[in-house]
Amino acid sequence: MSNKKVFAGLAAVTGVSIFLLHNCHFNWQSHHRRYESAVRGKQTEVVFLKTHKTAGTTVQNILFRFADRHSVRVALPGGVCSYQNHQFCYPRPFSRLFVHPLTRPPSMVASHLRPGLSELRRLAPPNATFITIVREPAAMFESLFAYYGQLSASFRNAPNRSISAFLRRPASYYRPGERFAMFARNSLIFDLGGDPNRDPGDEAYLRGFIRDLESVFSLVMVAEHFDESLVLLRRLLAWEPEDITYVRLNARGQASRTRLTTEEAEQARRWSWLDTGLYRHFNASLWSKLQTLGPQCLQRELGLLRQANRRVARDCFGAAGSGPPPALQASQIQDRELRPWQPGGVSILGYELPRNLSLPPALAASCLRYITPEVSYSRHLLVKAATRLRPKRRDRESLKNGPEMRERD
């Protein structure tokens, strides 16, 4: 199926709304009347297409916490890909068979998947708001190389597994058919359902792909302007500032980072030229929306978000001033459920609640959700879905057995 047909199919599902922002007020336009009524309160039907190494895990945690608080059903991996407990059989094209039966039909989707798309159309709520996130390609490539350096055959082909060596002659080491090759070139395009191996300079393909994305996604966030993106997300979903508070997740320690030279960064952008064009377009699009919002309104919104984040850092972690909670090496975290996954040779930082901070149980449980890694949070939501289902099953059994029991009496 062509990308154009795929995204056209999704466009028919999402009922994408275009929002107009002016003087800190906003109006909603929709292709469907029923969507207009759905957003009078907080929007709970959301599909987040999570991309790799773009701050997507932090966005996912925001959505998971919202769903957790409001008892919104989240689609979770299971079924035929139960071996992957945090993504839908990625990188295979998405199928409803990848979704755990206890979480169907969902109101929200937020785990890794590769669009595949008649199936996603059948799974997604009819009025869902589609969002995703992109990141500057050179910074993203450095993160991908570090994170998947021991997993991607293309990265391992480079001498001494060196990012500098790879970028000098990327075509010599990249093999499209090899394991985890999708992380070695145009990862954004691949994650969004496109072809990462188009001939350089195929601008018609890139323009068409961007048009198709714009027909589906109400908002494309930008990792480098994370708070500004969250301002637009909050207004798009009619949420409160407290709904978009966050603690930065899945970050690497300094020892696992490589500073690219100016030349290497440019080599990375040329190599992933589709991602570069995609990023430049949606970065400009984000700032166009923010300009429409207006500088005074934007600053007021950013102030509300950052004030709310400071309250979380203070109340949950005892953080002084405006700083975030202190990140820890995985070996320093005693609670195994709070330890983020550690890819080979990379240090991923995590958090614990301070032991010297006495928190009421309800607040402690809420604070823990900010720092629960993706895999652990997915398990928690699945257990919660199973728990919700048990009373319904008992009620059905009671109704079925009731008359029979009365006859025996």
Side-chain angles (χ1 to χ4, degrees), residues 99-121:
V99 181
H100 198 290
L102 291 178
T103 64
R104 295 196 303 248
S107 292
M108 192 175 287
V109 182
S111 298
H112 275 304
L113 62 87
R114 186 159 191 255
L117 292 203
S118 59
E119 287 291 282
L120 188 54
R121 179 174 59 208

Side-chain angles (χ1 to χ4, degrees), residues 216-365:
V216 172
F217 290 92
S218 297
L219 176 64
V220 177
M221 303 172 67
V222 175
E224 283 74 22
H225 309 294
F226 193 71
D227 285 359
E228 290 85 353
S229 296
L230 287 179
V231 165
L232 295 180
L233 179 67
R234 184 193 81 76
R235 296 168 70 82
L236 177 66
L237 301 179
W239 287 6
E240 302 297 329
E242 289 73 18
D243 293 325
I244 57 168
T245 51
Y246 66 93
V247 171
R248 187 184 177 205
L249 299 178
N250 221 28
R252 287 172 292 152
Q254 285 299 324
S256 298
R257 297 173 180 269
T258 300
R259 183 180 293 276
L260 298 182
T261 66
T262 301
E263 181 182 0
E264 288 169 345
E266 189 54 37
Q267 288 171 334
R269 296 184 192 106
R270 286 198 302 269
W271 172 242
S272 291
W273 70 276
L274 286 167
D275 281 359
T276 299
L278 189 78
Y279 175 82
R280 287 173 177 167
H281 176 88
F282 283 110
N283 185 53
S285 176
L286 179 87
W287 283 99
S288 177
K289 289 180 172 68
L290 291 169
Q291 287 173 358
T292 305
L293 182 62
Q296 290 183 340
C297 182
L298 174 59
Q299 290 308 310
R300 184 157 67 250
E301 291 268 3
L302 288 172
L304 289 172
L305 169 60
R306 289 165 181 169
Q307 184 180 35
N309 273 336
R310 286 193 293 270
R311 284 197 298 271
V312 171
R314 180 196 65 207
D315 296 345
C316 291
F317 305 97
S322 59
L328 303 172
Q329 300 288 336
S331 59
Q332 298 175 289
I333 301 173
Q334 292 189 3
D335 187 343
R336 297 178 65 87
E337 288 295 298
L338 296 180
R339 293 179 190 171
W341 179 63
Q342 304 292 303
V346 182
S347 172
I348 304 299
L349 303 177
Y351 306 88
E352 270 190 329
L353 296 184
R355 299 182 187 89
N356 61 352
L357 199 62
S358 179
L359 300 176
L363 177 58

Side-chain angles (χ1 to χ4, degrees), residues 124-153:
N127 304 318
T129 300
F130 276 66
I131 60 174
T132 190
I133 186 167
V134 299
R135 183 182 179 187
E136 195 283 314
M140 184 178 65
F141 186 86
E142 184 275 328
S143 183
L144 288 164
F145 196 97
Y147 205 82
Y148 297 105
Q150 294 189 18
L151 297 175
S152 172

